[in-house]
Amino acid sequence: MGRVIGIDLGTTNSCVAVLEGREPTVIHNQEGGRTTPSMVSWNADGDVVVGAASKRQMVTNPQRTVFGAKRLIGRKASEVQQLASRLPYHIVAAKNGDAWVDVAGTPRSPQEISAHVLAKMKRVAEDYLGESVREAVVTVPAYFDDVQRQATKDAGAIAGLTVRAILNEPTAAALAYGVQHQANQRLAVFDLGGGTFDISILAIENGVFEVLSTHGDTALGGDDFDRVIIDLLADDFAAEHGHDLRADSVALQRLKEAAERAKIELSSAMTTDVNLPFIAAGPAGPVHLIRELERGQLERACKVLLDKLEAPCAKALNDAHCTPADIDQVLLVGGMTRMPAVQERAVQIFGKPASKGVNPDEIVAMGAAVHSGIMGGELQEVVLLDVTPHNMGVKVAGDRMSVVISANTSIPTRAKKIFATTEDDQTFVAIEIFQGEHEHASRNRRLGRFVLGDLRPAPRGQTKVEVSFTMDADGILEIAAAEIGTGRAASVTIEASSGLTAEEIARLGNRLAR
Ligand code: ADP
Ligand code: MG
C-alpha cells in the first residue's frame, strides 16, 4: 500500500505534508515554497498553469486565471451572486444551477479547478517521496456542508486521488498540536484564512480528541481585508482624479496585489508605501498611485471585519458549555492571524495569549498527515471524535424543519425517524432532506429528495416507514429505509440536486491525467 498524504486545500494557499516516522513533515513545492497558491490559469494554447506561476499571470491574464474556487465549490450560482460582482472572472450557472466559472468561453466546475490544485500537491509529494501517491486526507472548513464535502471528494477523484478522509481544518490543527502536547486540555482553534473564519472548541482527554463545538463565517477572510484596502485606495484616488480604478480589470488586479502586499507588510511594519505607477491615463498623461499607508489606518478601516470575529467565538464557547477561562490553549491558524489586530482580538475574546510554536500556514496540513497516520495505524494512541456542523433533517408540513441529526453531534452517527403515509393506498413517499439551522426547511440548504417506493397499499397513516440517516466520519450522509412491520427494505432513490455525475468525474479525470 502506498503512502497517504495530508493536503490542506486552502482558499488561497494549499500545503501538503506526510508522516515521516511519527513526525508530520511539510513538503516544499518545485518552486521552493512550503505553501502553493490555490490558483489555476488556462493559457490561450490550452496549457494549464497552477500555483505561483498562475499567481504571476493574474495581472496579464485575469479572465483565464481562477482563484478562490473553494468559495464556489458545492454552491449554487444564485448563492454566490454577491461574490460574483467583485471577481475578475465570470461565474455561470451549470445545468443543475451549480456555480461554475467561465474560463475564456469554457465553463469549468470548481471541482475541476480544485482538482488541478490537488494534482499539483500530489506531484509535489511524489517528487519528494519518489513513488506514486494514490490516497490523501483532505481538509475542509468545519462549516462545510454535505454538498461541499462531497464536491471536495470529487475534486480528489478527478485528480487521481482517493480521498481517504475529509477532515475539518480546526480538528487537523488540534491534532498536530495535540500529538506533541498530550496533556488533558481544552483548545480553541481560531482559523482566519483567505476566505473563511472557523472557530472550534476541542477537548483532549487521555489521547481522545473531541470536538465540542464548531462555528464560523464562510464569508470572512483575508480577501475581505484586501477589499477594504482596495476601496480605501480607490476611493481616495477617485476623489483626487475623478477616476474609478475598480472599473478597469487590469488596474483592479494591480490594486489587489498592492493591497495584499501592503496588508502583509503592515503586520510587521507601522507604515508601508503603495507604489503603482501608470495606473491610469488622465487628460494630462499617465497618472500614478503613490502613497503611504499606516497600520492604524488599516486597523480603523477593518474594524467592522474584526468585530465579526466575536459572535462565532461566543457561540462556539456557549455550545461547548465553556467560558473563556475554561480554555487552556488558543491556536492561531491561517495567514491572517499574523495581523497584530487579529491577534489582539483573539486575546480579548479568550483572555489569554495564543500558543507559541504553531506555524499558522502549515499546521493544518501537518494535522492531515497525522490523521493519515492514525488511519494507517502508525499512530495508535490517538482517537478522533469529530462533530457535524449543521442540523440535518427533513421538511414536514408547514415547511417546518424536522431535525434528525442535530448540529454538534459526534460523528460517525446514526439516527432514525418514522414517517407515516398521509393518503390511502399510498405506494410511495417522497421526502426532502435539508441541512441548516433555520426552523423553516426552505430557508436551509436542500441536499436532495428521496423517494421510498414499493410500499404495501393500506389506509392512510397505517403504513409506517423508518428512515435512518447515517453520517460517516467525513460528514457525508447516507440514507436507508424500511417499512415497519414487514421489515421490508423500501427502495430509496436519492435525487441529488448538486454536484457532478460519476461520468463527468471520470471524463474530467481522464482529461487531467493526459
Ligand atoms: P487559506 O486557508 O484560505 O488558504 P491562508 O491561511 O493561507 O488561507 O491565509 C491567506 C491569507 O492570509 C491571505 O489573505 C493573505 O493575504 C493573508 N496573510 C498571509 N500572511 C500575512 C501576514 N503576514 N499578515 C497579514 N495577512 C497575511
Ligand atoms: Mg486555511
Side-chain angles (χ1 to χ4, degrees):
M1 196 188 76
R3 302 281 282 268
V4 184
I5 58 176
I7 302 176
D8 170 8
L9 177 63
T11 310
T12 327
N13 298 299
S14 295
C15 184
V16 60
V18 286
L19 208 61
E20 296 212 282
R22 295 170 51 88
E23 293 296 317
T25 308
V26 170
I27 308 174
H28 283 100
N29 62 26
Q30 291 91 345
E31 297 79 43
R34 291 170 72 84
T35 61
T36 300
S38 307
M39 293 179 113
V40 183
S41 309
W42 278 264
N43 289 340
D45 56 12
D47 278 358
V48 183
V49 179
V50 185
S54 166
K55 191 170 186 177
R56 278 196 298 276
Q57 298 199 349
M58 193 68 200
V59 173
T60 50
N61 204 4
Q63 266 108 31
R64 291 168 174 273
T65 301
V66 187
F67 61 90
K70 192 173 170 181
R71 281 184 141 178
L72 307 177
I73 202 163
R75 312 287 303 273
K76 296 289 171 201
S78 57
E79 294 172 311
V80 294
Q81 285 302 321
Q82 223 190 340
L83 190 65
S85 62
R86 316 289 298 222
L87 292 171
Y89 52 79
H90 298 293
I91 293 175
V92 290
K95 271 200 223 80
N96 59 7
D98 283 3
W100 284 26
V101 180
D102 179 332
V103 184
T106 309
R108 299 197 183 269
S109 63
Q111 290 90 318
E112 178 187 4
I113 298 160
S114 295
H116 282 286
V117 177
L118 289 172
K120 161 94 180 169
M121 304 322 284
K122 176 176 181 275
R123 284 196 299 274
V124 166
E126 287 174 338
D127 283 358
Y128 176 81
L129 296 169
E131 61 186 44
S132 72
V133 171
R134 297 255 156 262
E135 296 183 308
V137 172
V138 179
T139 61
V140 296
Y143 233 55
F144 257 28
D145 62 25
D146 189 82
V147 178
Q148 292 165 306
R149 284 165 199 263
Q150 186 59 56
T152 303
K153 268 195 154 173
D154 293 346
I158 296 169
L161 284 170
T162 301
V163 178
R164 287 283 304 275
I166 293 281
L167 183 64
N168 290 332
E169 287 159 12
T171 309
L175 261 184
Y177 177 85
V179 288
Q180 285 163 356
H181 308 82
Q182 290 257 358
N184 289 352
Q185 56 190 315
R186 289 206 168 175
L187 303 176
V189 178
F190 183 105
D191 180 354
L192 187 61
T196 54
F197 173 54
D198 269 296
I199 177 76
S200 295
I201 311 292
L202 294 96
I204 304 180
E205 253 164 64
N206 307 322
V208 177
F209 288 64
E210 189 180 3
V211 180
L212 302 178
S213 68
T214 179
H215 271 286
D217 187 337
T218 49
L220 178 64
D223 292 346
D224 303 290
F225 287 76
D226 296 349
R227 208 168 295 138
V228 164
I229 303 174
I230 292 170
D231 286 340
L232 193 151
L233 296 175
D235 287 347
D236 287 357
F237 189 88
E240 194 176 333
H241 303 283
H243 180 97
D244 189 355
L245 295 174
R246 286 161 293 205
D248 167 1
S249 73
V250 173
L252 179 61
Q253 269 325 305
R254 289 182 64 196
L255 206 53
K256 180 168 166 49
E257 253 184 280
E260 186 183 8
R261 197 176 319 119
K263 175 188 73 177
I264 290 173
E265 272 173 26
L266 290 175
S267 289
S268 49
M270 297 308 289
T271 64
T272 185
D273 292 318
V274 178
N275 199 340
L276 291 167
F278 303 98
I279 190 79
V287 190
H288 315 299
L289 193 167
I290 296 167
R291 63 171 285 178
E292 195 181 72
L293 203 62
E294 289 171 9
R295 186 187 285 178
Q297 277 175 301
L298 170 67
E299 292 179 351
R300 279 191 298 279
C302 294
K303 182 171 179 303
V304 180
L305 298 176
L306 295 166
D307 288 346
K308 283 189 176 181
L309 296 167
E310 299 198 355
C313 293
K315 226 161 175 264
L317 281 168
N318 190 50
D319 283 1
H321 307 291
C322 284
T323 65
D326 298 323
I327 303 298
D328 300 300
Q329 297 292 336
V330 179
L331 305 188
L332 295 185
V333 179
M336 273 310 298
T337 63
R338 295 192 190 273
M339 180 173 175
V342 171
Q343 294 173 4
E344 280 157 28
R345 272 309 165 105
V347 172
Q348 269 171 29
I349 294 168
F350 293 100
K352 54 182 62 73
S355 301
K356 299 275 176 268
V358 172
N359 183 325
D361 303 316
E362 299 178 357
I363 190 163
V364 171
M366 287 166 68
V370 169
H371 191 56
S372 74
I374 297 172
M375 288 193 314
E378 292 108 300
L379 292 172
Q380 264 166 359
E381 66 274 42
V382 182
V383 178
L384 185 64
L385 293 174
D386 215 328
V387 295
T388 166
H390 301 285
N391 285 337
M392 184 80 74
V394 298
K395 180 162 136 179
V396 294
D399 189 27
R400 299 197 69 77
M401 175 88 175
S402 167
V403 175
V404 181
I405 296 174
S406 55
N408 291 326
T409 303
S410 285
I411 50 175
T413 186
R414 179 169 218 198
K416 290 179 177 160
K417 197 130 206 171
I418 292 169
F419 294 94
T421 48
T422 51
E423 282 164 37
D424 292 338
D425 296 332
Q426 216 175 313
T427 54
F428 71 93
V429 281
I431 294 166
E432 281 186 285
I433 322 159
F434 288 84
Q435 186 169 31
E437 278 55 63
H438 205 280
E439 58 181 315
H440 292 303
S442 59
R443 299 287 297 275
N444 293 321
R445 161 160 283 237
R446 184 177 183 275
L447 295 181
R449 188 174 92 118
F450 65 95
V451 178
L452 305 175
D454 310 328
L455 303 178
R456 256 180 330 169
R460 69 181 159 167
Q462 281 196 8
T463 305
K464 295 198 172 69
V465 182
E466 184 179 70
V467 179
S468 62
F469 281 53
T470 308
M471 187 174 272
D472 67 16
D474 294 339
I476 292 175
L477 187 68
E478 262 175 44
I479 289 160
E483 193 177 330
I484 290 180
T486 66
R488 206 154 57 107
S491 63
V492 180
T493 15
I494 299 187
E495 297 158 14
S497 42
S498 302
L500 301 177
T501 62
E503 292 77 46
E504 284 172 309
I505 292 170
R507 190 171 45 75
L508 288 167
N510 287 335
R511 209 196 291 163
L512 213 82
R514 264 192 274 123

